Amino acid sequence: MPTKVDMEKIVSLCKRRGFIFPSSDIYGGLASCWDYGPMGVELKRNVKEAWWKAMVQDRDDVVGLDTSIMMHPGVWAASGHIDSFTDPLVECKSCHLRWRADVVEGNKCPKCGGELTEPRMFNLMFKTFMGPVEEEASVVYLRPETAQGIFVNFENVVTTSRKKLPLGIAQIGKSFRNEITPGNFIFRTREFEHMELEYFVKPGTDEKWLDYWVKKRFDWYVKMGVKRENLRLRQHGKDELAHYAKDCHDVEYRFPMGWSELEGIANRGDFDLTQHARCSGKDLSYYDAEAGDKYVPYVIEPSAGVDRSVLAFMIDAYDEEEVEKEKRTVLHFHHSLAPIKVAVLPLSRNEKLTPVAKEVFKQLCPSFVTDYDDSQSIGRRYRRQDEIGTPFCVTIDFESLEDKQVTIRDRDSLAQIRVPIEGLEKVIEAKLKGEAFDASALWATRQK
Ligand code: GAP
């Protein structure tokens, strides 16, 4: 079953509704760079918060970390990124466009048909200079993964957290890769955000923990509302494994351009800690006092992209439906991901309705990200909220002035209920947590 939405529709909705804009838009944009607008920034924060809650706060075996983007250059020599974080690149001898050798067939340029050069290896790390002198000695790299910040802090964290293994260290932050072929909107960009967990385990238990995390991560996407039939697992072939990996499984999503990686869960063995111990001269082994055992831990790494997850959540939530003979575009986001949780909509911009509606807005604001909209017809305002995925609209009408009640409209079922203004936040809170997580059940009972 192909996805029902193409990427152009998502890009256009993102721009129209303030999710994502081209970077430096007024200068014509900058290739593969994107800015998150008012809706996008909320969505992205919600994705990161959901991940952090599941991976750090809901567990007692994982702690968080936030490390520097620029690190000692020795880190990247030890990690193998200077030698091995490369893609084979070919260049067209006529138009000089460069291509990843593994994405072109034959030796003709896909753009102009010109002859291509032999492949040469191209390092994907961005290089810059630290301090005022541009010389080899001051070269630093922008990190291509957040993982290395975790490995070099392993000893600091174990000592200060006083936790025993298995122990996970989680980090969310920007990474940079000078991708040869970025594209597909925010799927592959040169600047993106990682959500990474390095889970340190006793050697010999690594395969068990790899299985555990593969399942856990697949289930997380389902729990966050992604349709199971749009997800699958794929184990890497030996020839695809990254230089540090013993084994790796991708969670793949059915993107409009086909099944593609959403997240990788790798068994990095003891590669990183061994390399950093050797290159820094610091002992990075772990002493298990209870067992009287000393070893270099193995690492299981679930590594996801924030931006790629945002894209998958948007595509999966997207729907076009006919309601009362009118087309509506709707994002059926999981409630916890929706940028705006509730919109307060007075029936019209009327001098009697406005003060009541403003009071309701003030009442809800401290508890939820709330929108207030009194422009245009109520129908158009519902459509706008549907398009940004707002789970609930609260409508204030003339009856509200008499009976002190308002109408709550459900984005998915379109069901409307009338509830007292007093205690409204409790009702919305319960509904946000409640049965609507199973959106399919609601769609089935939808009133058309
Ligand atoms: N530390 C391991 C690591 O970085 P990866 O498979 O290269 O592994 C993990 O990246 C995830 O990061 C990917 O599954 C994807 O979601 C995201 N990612 C990687 N490169 C990206 C890029 N250029 N643009 C956007 N997301 C990217």
Side-chain angles (χ1 to χ4, degrees):
M1 187 187 65
T3 47
K4 59 195 173 302
V5 57
D6 53 39
M7 201 69 96
E8 285 72 37
K9 280 192 179 167
I10 294 289
V11 176
S12 152
L13 171 65
C14 281
K15 173 117 203 224
R16 192 167 69 247
R17 290 293 177 217
F19 281 93
I20 300 169
F21 309 123
S23 160
S24 326
D25 206 5
I26 59 169
Y27 286 92
L30 177 66
S32 99
C33 294
W34 302 92
D35 296 342
Y36 286 78
M39 292 305 113
V41 77
E42 293 293 341
L43 172 59
K44 199 179 185 196
R45 281 169 56 101
N46 293 341
V47 169
K48 290 190 276 186
E49 272 172 26
W51 185 91
W52 195 259
K53 183 163 176 1
M55 302 297 272
V56 184
Q57 292 169 342
D58 287 352
R59 308 180 60 100
D60 65 358
D61 57 349
V62 177
V63 292
L65 196 66
D66 185 3
T67 70
S68 169
I69 286 173
M70 288 182 286
M71 301 176 73
H72 190 289
V75 169
W76 306 112
S79 69
H81 281 82
I82 289 179
D83 288 337
S84 308
F85 194 57
T86 50
D87 270 347
L89 174 145
V90 289
E91 184 173 330
C92 172
K93 290 180 183 172
S94 304
C95 70
H96 299 289
L97 268 182
R98 291 171 170 187
W99 304 89
R100 252 173 57 186
D102 54 341
V103 300
V104 286
E105 279 173 30
N107 72 338
K108 294 277 174 263
C109 172
K111 177 93 187 293
C112 75
E115 194 190 336
L116 296 172
T117 59
E118 284 300 307
R120 64 191 172 86
M121 293 319 265
F122 173 76
N123 194 290
L124 299 181
M125 280 196 294
F126 277 98
K127 228 184 207 181
T128 188
F129 300 95
M130 188 172 247
V133 189
E134 294 198 4
E135 57 177 29
E136 226 15 64
S138 59
V139 163
V140 287
Y141 299 93
L142 303 188
R143 67 182 179 199
E145 59 172 10
T146 65
Q148 297 304 324
I150 296 177
F151 295 130
V152 301
N153 275 292
F154 173 67
E155 201 203 353
N156 284 338
V157 175
V158 170
T159 315
T160 55
S161 69
R162 307 174 62 84
K163 295 228 177 227
K164 295 195 174 64
L165 261 53
L167 171 65
I169 307 178
Q171 169 154 232
I172 299 180
K174 288 259 180 176
S175 291
F176 301 83
R177 295 180 183 181
N178 200 2
E179 300 279 3
I180 302 166
T181 46
N184 283 317
F185 194 29
I186 53 170
F187 178 84
R188 181 171 285 109
T189 51
R190 296 193 171 109
E191 172 182 345
F192 61 97
E193 267 184 284
H194 257 137
M195 307 185 279
E196 301 199 288
L197 171 71
E198 307 304 319
Y199 196 74
F200 298 88
V201 304
K202 186 173 181 171
T205 65
D206 48 313
E207 287 178 15
K208 177 188 88 182
W209 282 112
L210 179 66
D211 288 349
Y212 168 88
W213 280 110
V214 168
K215 179 168 184 326
K216 200 87 187 151
R217 294 304 304 148
F218 185 95
D219 289 349
W220 183 75
Y221 290 101
V222 177
K223 184 169 169 244
M224 297 314 298
V226 178
K227 294 175 197 75
R228 192 177 280 272
E229 67 265 26
N230 289 335
L231 290 166
R232 71 177 190 192
L233 288 170
R234 191 181 67 82
Q235 185 174 18
H236 280 208
K238 288 270 172 277
D239 54 337
E240 311 174 66
L241 288 172
H243 63 273
Y244 49 73
K246 270 180 72 184
D247 192 3
C248 187
H249 297 249
D250 285 348
V251 178
E252 293 190 331
Y253 180 73
R254 197 200 306 254
F255 286 97
M257 66 282 187
W259 287 102
S260 309
E261 175 185 346
L262 183 55
E263 163 162 358
I265 301 108
N267 182 347
R268 293 180 79 128
D270 60 2
F271 177 86
D272 301 273
L273 288 183
T274 303
Q275 280 294 99
H276 287 307
R278 194 171 63 77
C279 298
S280 68
K282 291 269 188 301
D283 180 7
L284 296 179
S285 55
Y286 170 78
Y287 179 61
D288 181 341
E290 268 167 32
D293 207 4
K294 192 174 170 185
Y295 54 83
V296 177
Y298 272 31
V299 176
I300 306 303
E301 178 196 61
S303 172
V306 178
D307 314 78
R308 211 173 274 188
S309 303
V310 163
L311 183 60
F313 287 129
M314 284 203 78
I315 292 168
D316 215 76
Y318 186 95
D319 210 355
E320 287 171 13
E321 305 171 348
E322 210 177 281
V323 177
E324 286 153 12
K325 301 214 172 63
E326 260 191 59
K327 194 188 106 176
R328 76 157 181 168
T329 300
V330 54
L331 292 175
H332 292 288
F333 281 134
H334 184 289
H335 290 170
S336 68
L337 297 182
I340 307 271
K341 306 298 180 209
V342 51
V344 175
L345 313 175
L347 197 59
S348 65
R349 198 178 283 167
N350 173 282
E351 58 179 20
K352 293 217 172 82
L353 293 182
T354 301
V356 181
K358 291 262 177 190
E359 273 307 308
V360 171
F361 176 73
K362 272 206 326 222
Q363 182 183 337
L364 299 181
C365 247
S367 309
F368 320 103
V369 181
T370 309
D371 193 15
Y372 182 91
D373 188 3
D374 63 0
S375 62
Q376 300 182 308
S377 75
I378 188 77
R380 290 184 83 152
R381 281 180 276 153
Y382 281 150
R383 295 292 100 89
R384 202 155 52 222
Q385 295 299 334
D386 287 343
E387 255 197 334
I388 58 173
T390 306
F392 300 108
C393 290
V394 169
T395 313
I396 292 92
D397 55 25
F398 289 98
E399 259 183 84
S400 308
L401 305 177
E402 306 298 322
D403 66 3
K404 307 280 180 278
Q405 297 202 2
V406 288
T407 304
I408 304 179
R409 170 192 182 266
D410 184 301
R411 173 198 70 196
D412 299 322
S413 68
L414 297 177
Q416 304 205 354
I417 53 164
R418 192 109 182 129
V419 295
I421 294 176
E422 200 187 326
L424 178 60
E425 62 276 27
K426 299 262 175 334
V427 180
I428 295 196
E429 195 183 321
K431 286 180 86 58
L432 280 168
K433 283 194 195 139
E435 79 282 9
F437 285 173
D438 182 9
S440 54
L442 281 172
W443 300 343
T445 58
R446 185 175 59 227
Q447 301 174 346
K448 290 223 169 168

